[in-house]
Amino acid sequence: MQHERVLVLDFGGQYNQLIARRVRDLKVYCDLKPCDMTIEEIKAYDPIGIIFTGGPNSVYGEGAPLVDKAIFSLGIPVLGICYGAQLIPYLFGGKVEHAETSEYGKREFSFVKDSPLSKDIPQTSVCWMSHTDRVTALPAGFEVLAATQSCPFTAFGDLKKKIYGVQFHPEVVHSEYGNKLLENFLYEVCGAHGDWTMKGFVAEQVQKIKDRVGDKKVLCAMSGGVDSAVAATLVHRAVGKNLICVFVDHGLHRKNEPEEVMQVFRDGLGMNLVKADAAELFLSKLKGVTDPEKKRKIIGEEFIRVFEKESKKIGAVDFLVQGTIYPDVIESGKGKSAVIKSHHNVGGLPDVVDFKDIIEPLRDLFKDEVRRVGTELGLADSIVWRQPCPGPALAIRIMGEVTEEKLATLRDADYIFREEIAQAGLQRDIWQYFAVITDSKTVGVQGDFRTYENVIALRAVTSVDAMTADWARIPFDVLERISTRITNEVKHANRIVYDITSKPPATIEWE
Ligand code: XMP
């Protein structure tokens, strides 16, 4: 079944994925595509509406990404946001100019004319602005719909042609009625019905996988992370015992993680789940290695080797399941970026497994949708809301050489951190939080004795997509409890520090 869908054309704005997520939250399927999509491609995509995202350029600047004006003659409603809004008058002969002062942050704006966009939104409310250029004259056929004190064309449109522009960012939470405005665009302007729900998605996918797999064999590398767990559970629901999952226990997982994976998936759901015990092997390969990139490489390579060995035992399979999600497949069209860290995930597996085809059931989903599918499938919050954990796991949270002793100290400290965050009810407010064992020892005094032990660092960040992050403002009393508990309950830790660096300049993980 083809869902009704909206096309979000990406002009490089920092909130581009957020726009797409908001549309999907409003139960309309959408894709984020590069803005240079051709008219033929757009027609073939057959959207019920098109949204232009914001972007860093000036419409009149050299090399600014534009669109073929023919896009406005397709009879498909258009909503331009920020740069995307300026593009519309620019292409129709209006005026866009550089303003002397930029406008950032919250602004009060008022609707000056009713339109389908303003349905059920108070006449005056707060929106979030982030721009320097602004529209100074509208082309013929367009009328002003809303204004702030300093931005006379905050919203405008050609109501007959269903072409709208908003200077502010309706997708960010600081725009009070932003979500309602997007909803109005989808339902009042584009005539959406809202056929994109996770319940429907699960039913469709299970049927699709059943039809595709029949009684053939499927293999899945289970990492314990949300994506592979949800992908495996979905496939398991479709094909039962014909799915074989392999969990590589590299001995670098967080406290209780391997046990939980086995309990939930093998014992609870009855999955055909094999655990490859490779802790000793990984530790021996990591002996004496201190360079972060070397650690990452060794773990990535060994992981593939262990998986290959296990899959040889299983023999040829027909399909390999991958937990690829939508942000992994979006073509942003941006240039190549520098390699900051060589990420390890299970993407390298296709080369070593004897299989015919790949199943990627989550390929169309954003992370929050993956979580909702997990909940829909009955997975517990502890799995569905698990924080992202890097492939090399604790090895890159141990500065310097990875040893059993450091692993034990870190596991216990990290566990306490997680327990206290949960106790304080902060799990969902903080994007990722974990402990790090630094390569420094300091002097302390514990029970009248001098100690010379490890410094543990706490890292907690808020983020949307891990590309940028800010350190989380954890209340002092919660930090105090964590510090007291770790120094009291964990061996070989006598000092706790809190990391107050954003990304950039730091990264989220320490290595
Ligand atoms: P950084 O440290 O680069 O991390 O700011 C960004 C996000 O990516 C996670 N991360 C990884 N994920 N394999 C993964 O699948 C890896 O090798 C890896 N290294 C970092 C990190 O936990 C954060 O969420």
Side-chain angles (χ1 to χ4, degrees), residues 88 112-117 135 137-147 152-161 163-165:
I88 298 167
V112 295
K113 183 182 160 65
D114 283 341
S115 77
L117 272 198
V135 179
L138 289 178
F142 283 82
E143 43 194 337
V144 57
L145 303 175
F153 304 107
T154 297
F156 50 84
D158 179 332
L159 275 59
K160 261 203 212 120
K161 288 199 181 129
I163 302 171
Y164 294 88

Side-chain angles (χ1 to χ4, degrees), residues 217-224 227-236 242-248 271-274 303 307 310-311 314 317 319-323 346 349 353 359 361:
K217 287 236 170 322
V218 187
L219 180 65
C220 177
M222 176 86 103
S223 72
D227 304 342
S228 68
V230 174
T233 310
L234 198 53
V235 176
H236 178 252
N242 282 335
L243 169 72
I244 306 150
C245 291
V246 175
F247 174 66
V248 175
M271 270 190 203
N272 205 342
L273 174 60
V274 183
F303 185 93
F307 193 82
E310 284 306 318
S311 71
I314 294 162
V317 292
F319 297 94
L320 179 70
V321 180
Q322 300 256 279
V346 289
L349 292 181
V353 180
I359 299 181

Side-chain angles (χ1 to χ4, degrees), residues 296 340-346 388-393 396-397 431-432 434 465-467 469 503 506-511:
R296 282 174 170 275
I340 310 291
K341 298 173 184 185
S342 42
H343 269 212
H344 154 75
N345 45 36
V346 289
C389 185
I396 54 163
R397 295 175 180 172
W431 202 76
Q432 201 172 8
F434 52 87
D465 54 10
M467 299 296 289
K503 171 184 180 176
T507 54
I508 296 176
E509 302 288 347
W510 274 36
E511 285 195 340

Side-chain angles (χ1 to χ4, degrees), residues 42 87 122 136 154 171 175 194 198 236 239 268 282 359 467 484 502:
I42 293 172
L87 202 56
T136 50
T154 297
E171 69 276 21
S175 287
M198 292 305 110
H236 178 252
V239 307
F282 276 82
I359 299 181
M467 299 296 289
T484 308
S502 60

